[in-house]
């Protein structure tokens, strides 16, 4: 699979604007995360960050797609054995917290988001269990998670 670079293509498609393309790419990422070589490459290509961004764009408005995105994040994080860089862990937790707020609001309106709630609860629990120290150290340094999708300042210029 790695020789054909399908894994890299799926990561690129996580930034796609069409729902069906994003859903298909996220579904493939869920499965490719089980292959160590593919998962490692997808993580190197910022798959976790792109999944968080896709989840923020989708929110709980599309529970099925959001559920698939959460499973993809969970599988990639599990492949990494939850050894996430502090900023990525904080960014992921912030994205999950935003999703939870939307789910709570949706539940009060009678929407069925049971599957999404279950996978997001599991993801948040694992983040706290495995990345709590990293996130705490990151936050104690007064660092803010970087939006990895925005361009950086040119070298030599102060922000």
């Amino acid at each position: 699979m790695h020789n054909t670079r399908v894994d890299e293509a799926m990561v690129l498609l996580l930034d796609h604007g069409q729902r069906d393309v994003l859903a298909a790419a996220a579904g493939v990422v869920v499965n490719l995360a089980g292959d160590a070589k593919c998962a490692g490459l997808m993580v190197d290509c910022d798959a976790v960050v792109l999944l968080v961004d896709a989840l923020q764009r989708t929110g709980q408005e599309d529970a099925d797609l959001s559920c698939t995105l959460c499973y993809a994040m969970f599988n990639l994080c599990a492949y990494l054995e939850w050894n996430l860089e502090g900023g990525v862990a904080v960014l992921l937790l912030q994205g999950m917290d935003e999703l939870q707020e939307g789910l709570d609001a949706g539940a009060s309106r009678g929407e069925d988001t049971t599957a999404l709630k279950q996978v997001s609860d599991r993801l948040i629990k694992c983040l706290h269990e495995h990345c709590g120290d990293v996130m705490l150290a990151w936050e104690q340094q007064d660092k803010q998670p970087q939006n990895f999708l925005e361009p950086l300042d040119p070298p030599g210029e102060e922000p």
Side-chain angles (χ1 to χ4, degrees):
M1 186 68 65
H2 178 67
N3 293 338
T4 61
R5 300 181 71 179
V6 169
D7 41 9
E8 291 178 57
M10 292 303 110
V11 172
L12 292 173
L13 289 174
L14 293 174
D15 198 29
H16 203 280
Q18 290 184 350
R19 185 241 183 250
D20 292 340
V21 174
L22 175 58
V28 173
V29 170
V30 168
N31 293 317
L32 288 180
D35 180 284
K37 196 178 226 183
C38 290
L41 181 67
M42 289 187 297
V43 168
D44 291 343
C45 293
D46 290 330
V48 175
V49 174
L50 289 168
L51 286 163
V52 171
D53 181 62
L55 184 63
Q56 289 173 332
R57 289 191 322 258
T58 304
Q60 55 98 34
E61 302 300 319
D62 186 339
D64 291 337
L65 176 54
S66 293
C67 193
T68 303
L69 293 167
C70 287
Y71 274 115
M73 285 187 277
F74 187 90
N75 286 359
L76 285 173
C77 291
Y79 159 75
L80 291 171
E81 296 179 357
W82 301 94
N83 291 321
L84 300 176
E85 192 268 329
V88 173
V90 170
L91 181 70
L92 179 52
L93 187 59
Q94 286 175 345
M96 296 309 300
D97 285 343
E98 289 173 18
L99 177 66
Q100 287 289 330
E101 289 172 13
L103 288 173
D104 293 341
S108 67
R109 293 189 303 268
E111 296 173 8
D112 184 19
T113 55
T114 306
L116 179 54
K117 179 88 170 123
Q118 288 174 345
V119 70
S120 65
D121 285 347
R122 184 175 172 206
L123 188 52
I124 290 171
K125 179 182 175 193
C126 287
L127 277 170
H128 283 291
E129 285 178 8
H130 300 286
C131 302
D133 294 340
V134 171
M135 291 186 297
L136 182 62
W138 179 265
E139 290 169 348
Q140 286 177 344
Q141 295 175 8
D142 288 331
K143 290 187 176 182
Q144 295 298 315
Q146 178 182 355
N147 183 344
F148 295 98
L149 302 176
E150 291 181 11
L152 298 174
D153 293 326
E157 289 185 23
E158 294 291 321

